[in-house]
Amino acid sequence: MLEFCVHKRGEAKVPDSTRLLELALKGLEAERAKIDDEIAQITSLLNPRPATAQTAILFLTTLLCAAAFLNAANLEKTSQIDLRKLIHRDEQSLRAHEHPVGAVSFSPSGERIAILVGVHPKENPKEKGYRSDLVVVDANHLDQIVRKFEISDPPFGGLDELQIQWSLDGKRMALGGKVFPIEGPSYCGRGEVRGFLGADRFLAFIPSEMVRLFGVGREQPARRLYLVGPGCDDEVRVPTHELNWFLEDFSAQRNIALFDRLHGPLNQRVHEFIVVQFPEGSILHSWEVGINGRFVNGGSDVCLGSGIDETGPVTSSCWDVDSGGKIADIPANGGFPIMPAANAPRLIVSDLRWQRHIIFDGGREVVRRRILWDYSTGKELASWSPAIQTYHDAWVHKLREEPFACALSPDGKIIAEAGNGVLRLYGVRP
């Protein structure tokens, strides 16, 4: 019997004795993908209507996704857009496996929607990595592009939902530490931007002196936390910040950040979540609960928890930021990732199950269903099984299978779900 050592929830380490077999399987998988692409290209040359098969696949996918949602109580599809045609307008660029959606997010006003879509090879074939599109559309007219940015090697892949941070006025976005201006000037300071304080200041990690993190490993630049702006050289270091603080979330409504402050030896980490008020840098409250966290309802509350592993069910919970008291347990196994409403006590939580590997021991977590939950009333407003998107990882040539990206409007009344190059909106019935 092969043995696995689970290092953190949702991930299992394969023993060295099986590495060669796993790599061989991955190599065969990659070769099969290349052959499939070549067959598709040859077929498209011979077929006078090259988009027919792809159109049929898209049609079937649309029917399945629609069925999954229409069977969910209190949800009604209101609009849909094919992002592949909207962005490229080119029939040769419509392959679904090159258009997964990594993130979707509503602006603070709910009038715009940002989508990270596509995994495309770079123009230089010798250059590793990939490029994607960050597209902003009008929420009331999905066929109208407000802004479009091309991103090189954005954060992509994994079960955790990527976060697109917005400035409170909706004029700027941040993703992967970079700022993307929809209106007005961009960021001119140093470091990686992780939050917006008002209209002209930024929360940024800036490389500093060389250190050994936790006193082990090779030296690397210390990532110190600064308030930057309004000028390019205006940098004020946050005096309370320590290197064992890892940013989980930021609330532009209240200028507060959620950090995971790690304690203890490497093999026995203790997660302590702290809420920090800016610009002062003072700690408001702390909890030793879970390993993931997100602000909900405009930063008035926070939900803490995790995914799952093979050890059994996991219960996550939500807490009041001001009092520090517990509000309620999330009605799902695991619960994370969660997608909160910015200005309402509603959030989408993930009900997870553990799927065992067929050949090896261990397994992975998958989303069994998503639940729209109002924690002020304790009611489940809707639930559904998310559709799955499959694409090839641009870095390791691994076939990834992940649920569609999802977001909740600021008032908690509209659900956006996107994958395989298609964005759909669903209204929540009263």
Side-chain angles (χ1 to χ4, degrees):
M1 176 66 71
L2 301 174
E3 295 183 356
F4 277 64
C5 177
V6 176
H7 284 251
K8 65 178 182 179
R9 295 197 179 277
E11 296 185 5
K13 183 179 179 182
V14 183
D16 293 338
S17 59
T18 62
R19 286 293 184 191
L20 291 176
L21 179 57
E22 183 183 19
L23 291 173
L25 290 172
K26 288 182 178 179
L28 290 173
E29 186 178 65
E31 289 300 321
R32 173 61 185 272
K34 292 179 181 178
I35 294 173
D36 289 343
D37 286 343
E38 291 174 359
I39 292 175
Q41 292 174 8
I42 294 172
T43 302
S44 66
L45 293 175
L46 297 176
N47 189 349
R49 298 177 62 190
T52 301
Q54 294 167 348
T55 304
I57 293 173
L58 176 61
F59 177 72
L60 291 174
T61 303
T62 302
L63 285 180
L64 291 173
C65 295
F69 263 93
L70 291 176
N71 287 334
N74 299 329
L75 294 180
E76 179 181 10
K77 189 171 81 167
T78 58
S79 55
Q80 172 178 318
I81 189 68
D82 189 330
L83 297 168
R84 300 173 296 177
K85 292 182 179 178
L86 181 66
I87 297 170
H88 301 288
R89 302 186 185 279
D90 180 2
E91 294 295 331
Q92 299 300 319
S93 302
L94 302 186
R95 289 183 290 184
H97 72 273
E98 289 186 356
H99 291 81
V101 174
V104 59
S105 176
F106 284 89
S107 66
S109 66
E111 297 176 350
R112 295 169 175 174
I113 302 174
I115 312 104
L116 176 67
V117 58
V119 175
H120 310 291
K122 294 182 178 179
E123 294 183 0
N124 184 356
K126 296 182 179 180
E127 190 175 359
K128 293 184 178 180
Y130 57 98
R131 58 182 176 86
S132 301
D133 293 302
L134 179 61
V135 184
V136 181
V137 298
D138 189 311
N140 297 313
H141 305 280
L142 298 182
D143 59 345
Q144 295 183 10
I145 295 180
V146 179
R147 286 296 303 271
K148 182 171 78 73
F149 307 89
E150 185 174 295
I151 308 177
S152 179
D153 302 328
F156 211 109
L159 185 61
D160 290 340
E161 293 288 326
L162 296 173
Q163 293 188 47
I164 299 175
Q165 289 282 352
W166 291 83
S167 61
L168 201 54
D169 58 8
K171 295 182 178 181
R172 295 184 181 95
M173 301 178 297
L175 177 66
K178 299 178 181 179
V179 175
F180 301 92
I182 300 173
E183 301 176 32
S186 183
Y187 177 67
C188 59
R190 300 187 298 150
E192 300 177 359
V193 173
R194 298 298 179 179
F196 300 93
L197 286 83
D200 56 6
R201 288 196 296 174
F202 307 84
L203 188 69
F205 284 99
I206 297 178
S208 184
E209 76 278 10
M210 300 296 290
V211 297
R212 285 188 173 89
L213 193 60
F214 300 112
V216 297
R218 62 180 180 84
E219 287 190 341
Q220 54 186 307
R223 298 172 71 250
R224 299 291 184 183
L225 191 62
Y226 284 79
L227 301 180
V228 182
C232 302
D233 298 327
D234 295 338
E235 299 176 352
V236 178
R237 182 170 167 178
V238 179
T240 57
H241 174 250
E242 300 175 8
L243 293 181
N244 64 337
W245 294 12
F246 296 89
L247 185 65
E248 286 283 320
D249 200 3
F250 182 82
S251 170
Q253 291 96 324
R254 297 189 59 180
N255 286 342
I256 56 176
L258 178 67
F259 290 91
D260 182 4
R261 182 163 62 179
L262 296 178
H263 301 283
L266 288 174
N267 59 345
Q268 294 180 339
R269 285 285 178 227
V270 175
H271 296 264
E272 179 190 11
F273 286 94
I274 56 175
V275 173
V276 180
Q277 180 72 62
F278 293 100
E280 298 86 354
S282 57
I283 298 176
L284 301 182
H285 276 290
S286 66
W287 303 266
E288 289 189 4
V289 179
I291 59 176
N292 300 108
R294 286 292 302 273
F295 283 124
V296 295
N297 196 15
S300 62
D301 306 309
V302 63
C303 292
L304 306 171
S306 70
I308 63 172
D309 58 24
E310 59 187 349
T311 59
V314 172
T315 300
S316 302
S317 51
C318 297
W319 304 74
D320 187 283
V321 166
D322 294 318
S323 69
K326 185 177 180 179
I327 299 174
D329 288 331
I330 292 177
N333 185 20
F336 277 74
I338 67 173
M339 289 66 73
N343 302 316
R346 293 183 175 186
L347 61 153
I348 297 171
V349 301
S350 302
D351 187 28
L352 308 175
R353 66 179 175 86
W354 188 254
Q355 180 176 316
R356 299 190 64 85
H357 294 314
I358 297 176
I359 300 177
F360 305 114
D361 285 350
R364 65 188 184 100
E365 57 183 8
V366 297
V367 180
R368 187 173 70 91
R369 62 181 182 137
R370 283 174 170 154
I371 303 170
L372 176 58
W373 177 50
D374 187 323
Y375 65 85
S376 66
T377 63
K379 293 182 178 180
E380 294 185 16
L381 304 179
S383 66
W384 68 97
S385 297
I388 299 297
Q389 55 185 345
T390 302
Y391 65 98
H392 296 289
D393 189 290
W395 287 102
V396 297
H397 303 292
K398 176 183 179 182
L399 191 66
R400 286 188 177 273
E401 195 174 80
E402 297 172 359
F404 279 21
C406 187
L408 190 58
S409 64
D411 60 6
K413 296 181 179 180
I414 301 176
I415 293 171
E417 195 167 66
N420 287 339
V422 178
L423 169 67
R424 302 177 182 88
L425 300 185
Y426 300 85
V428 181
R429 297 191 184 98

